[in-house]
Amino acid sequence: MVVIPVISSKGGVGKTTIAANLCTALAQRGRQVLAIDLDPQNALRFHIANEPQACDSGLVEAATGLMPWTRAIRPAHGGVMLLPFGDVDDERQIAFEQQLARSPGWLGDTLERFGLPAGTLVVLDTPPGPSVYLQQALRAASFGVVAVLADAGSFATLPIVERMLDKYARPRGGYLGTGYVVNQIDPGKRLNHDVFELLRQRLRPELLGMLHLDQAVPEALASAAPVQRYAPMSQATQDIDACAERLLERLDTARQAASFPTLRTTETNR
């Protein structure tokens, strides 16, 4: 099991869109994918659920014992399995957040009990900025995907995400690394281009890719379909596919690097 939270320092960067389309792109490559919506907005369903309106219950109900996990997880587009957050009122949401605060390792422990097949990719959509949901996601994370825009706001708030990664993810031995996706690149806008160049220089070793501004993305959302299915020949589909390929390469490289010292130690002991 590889846990991949998609995170951002602020809203409006297309984080949920990136999470959803990464899920379907990874599933297209033969990977088993479980998408979990950790964002109370419960919006991931609109991108990948076969029946978005039927996803009004999910994570919170299952976590509080109101429904079994097997009923909460639903099939979605492209072979992805989806666990929606669910539509909950503010009292139940607050109670759930208090439960998460009392049990810092709840998400990781819960995923372990799922008994998922080896190699399953668990992609988490998280709320923007610091939250108890993000803390849970980063404590369980194997690899973090950070979504940013090529704008001054994203550049200025990037340290917020970096501090969270440094506190909850990077110190853990099982954490394999971080990748950045720069969204909504518009080469025709000078400021957008200049900020992207700054981001590329800063993030170069960890940059998974960039997603061009493409009308196919909002059109796909309006059609309740992943962009790969709605517009398979679009620039957005090519960009997402490139990010998915780069992500899998990073995961394979990181796991090989992590296992090599163990191999060497074993050989030395012999």
Side-chain angles (χ1 to χ4, degrees):
M1 180 177 63
V2 179
V3 182
I4 307 170
V6 181
I7 67 178
S8 66
S9 57
K10 68 186 190 74
V13 304
K15 169 187 54 60
T16 300
T17 301
I18 291 171
N21 285 290
L22 272 179
C23 285
T24 52
L26 292 168
Q28 284 178 346
R29 283 155 177 76
R31 304 301 177 108
Q32 292 182 298
V33 180
L34 171 62
I36 300 180
D37 196 344
L38 275 181
D39 189 337
Q41 294 185 78
N42 198 31
L44 189 59
R45 56 179 171 158
F46 296 120
H47 295 263
I48 59 174
N50 291 330
E51 299 180 49
Q53 302 309 322
C55 296
D56 54 350
S57 60
L59 175 68
V60 177
E61 285 80 0
T64 53
L66 296 179
M67 68 185 304
W69 289 104
T70 51
R71 278 186 53 205
I73 299 173
R74 300 165 170 83
H77 289 305
V80 175
M81 298 303 292
L82 170 65
L83 176 57
F85 187 88
D87 292 328
V88 299
D89 57 33
D90 54 348
E91 288 88 355
R92 290 171 64 200
Q93 181 180 328
I94 291 170
F96 181 54
E97 291 171 358
Q98 291 172 341
Q99 176 184 340
L100 296 182
R102 290 192 301 269
S103 304
W106 176 85
L107 179 61
D109 294 341
T110 300
L111 290 175
E112 288 292 340
R113 288 197 295 272
F114 281 2
L116 297 170
T120 299
L121 303 179
V122 181
V123 179
L124 310 174
D125 186 28
T126 63
S131 68
V132 68
Y133 303 103
L134 182 57
Q135 292 173 16
Q136 288 278 343
L138 293 181
R139 286 189 177 106
S142 308
F143 188 95
V145 174
V146 182
V148 298
L149 294 181
D151 64 7
S154 286
F155 190 81
T157 58
L158 199 55
I160 296 173
V161 167
E162 293 292 333
R163 285 194 295 270
M164 296 290 285
L165 287 164
D166 287 341
K167 184 174 182 178
Y168 297 107
R170 287 175 175 144
R172 291 188 295 102
Y175 189 67
L176 301 175
T178 306
Y180 296 81
V181 177
V182 185
N183 195 21
Q184 299 180 16
I185 297 293
D186 186 351
K189 293 184 178 179
R190 177 64 182 272
L191 180 59
N192 183 280
H193 177 269
D194 290 347
V195 174
F196 173 65
E197 288 301 320
L198 286 172
L199 286 169
R200 182 159 61 177
Q201 292 173 19
R202 176 175 174 178
L203 307 174
R204 187 182 299 275
E206 298 180 311
L207 187 64
L208 289 180
M210 62 177 184
L211 308 181
H212 291 85
L213 191 65
D214 189 336
Q215 189 61 30
V217 174
E219 290 176 358
L221 176 57
S223 301
V227 70
Q228 295 99 324
R229 177 175 176 179
Y230 175 81
M233 303 304 293
S234 66
Q235 180 66 58
T237 295
Q238 295 179 42
D239 292 343
I240 284 288
D241 285 347
C243 288
E245 289 286 354
R246 177 62 175 152
L247 173 59
L248 292 176
E249 290 173 3
R250 287 284 307 277
L251 289 174
D252 289 342
T253 300
R255 281 182 291 197
Q256 289 172 10
S259 63
F260 184 68
T262 304
L263 208 63
R264 287 291 300 274
T265 302
T266 302
E267 290 171 352
T268 301
N269 290 339
R270 286 175 181 172

